[in-house]
Amino acid sequence: MAWKTYDLDRIAQRLVLDAKERDKDSLGQAFKMRVAVAYGLERFWGEHLRLQGKKADEYKAKYWKETWDQLVAVMLKAGVKIPNDPVQSDNEKAVRSMAEKLWQIDIQDQRVAIAVLTQLCDCLVWWTQRYKKK
C-alpha cells in the first residue's frame, strides 16, 4: 500500500489560519498538541474538554476539537473509524463512554491514527511557525 498524504498539510494550514483569525494566542496550542500525541488518542481527545467552559481558553478548546474532528475525517477516508461522540466536559457518563470507545479501537488502527495525528500536528507546528509574529 502506498503512502497517502490525505492533504494533512493543507488541513493543518487551514486549522492554523482559522485559529489565528479567532485568537492569535491559540497558535501556541500546536506545540502542546504535538507533545500530547505521545500520550495517546484518549488524552489528546480529552484535552479540549479540559479547556472547555473556561472563558479564557474557549478558542484553545475549539482549536483542539477542530484538530480532532479533522483527524476523525482523515481516518475515515483511510478506512478507520474513530469515535467522535459529542461530549460536554460536565457529562461524566458521556466522557467515560467516549474514552472507553477510544480504548477499544483495534491496536493496529490506534497505531495508524497516532502516526497520522503525529504528522498532522507536525504540520500544525510548521504552519504556526510561519504565521506567528515574533
Side-chain angles (χ1 to χ4, degrees), residues 43-76:
R43 293 185 188 178
F44 189 97
W45 167 79
E47 190 62 14
H48 81 279
L49 295 176
R50 185 183 72 78
L51 297 167
Q52 219 177 49
K54 299 176 185 172
K55 185 70 173 153
D57 293 331
E58 70 181 277
Y59 294 120
K60 293 174 185 175
K62 185 175 178 77
Y63 191 21
W64 281 84
K65 180 65 168 101
E66 288 173 344
T67 301
W68 177 261
D69 291 344
Q70 288 299 314
L71 170 68
V72 170
V74 167
M75 293 307 301
L76 195 56

Side-chain angles (χ1 to χ4, degrees), residues 12 18 35 42 50-52 55 65 67 74-75 77 79 90 94 97 106 110 120 131:
D18 288 350
V35 171
E42 307 77 19
R50 185 183 72 78
L51 297 167
Q52 219 177 49
K55 185 70 173 153
K65 180 65 168 101
T67 301
V74 167
M75 293 307 301
K77 287 180 189 175
D90 59 354
S97 173
D106 175 78
Q110 285 182 38
L120 177 58
Y131 294 129

Side-chain angles (χ1 to χ4, degrees), residues 41-42 75 79-83 99-115:
L41 295 175
E42 307 77 19
M75 293 307 301
V80 177
K81 185 168 177 12
I82 303 291
E100 188 59 36
K101 288 177 184 180
L102 292 171
W103 281 106
Q104 297 301 319
I105 298 171
D106 175 78
I107 190 70
Q108 291 300 93
D109 289 345
Q110 285 182 38
R111 289 178 180 151
V112 171
I114 291 288

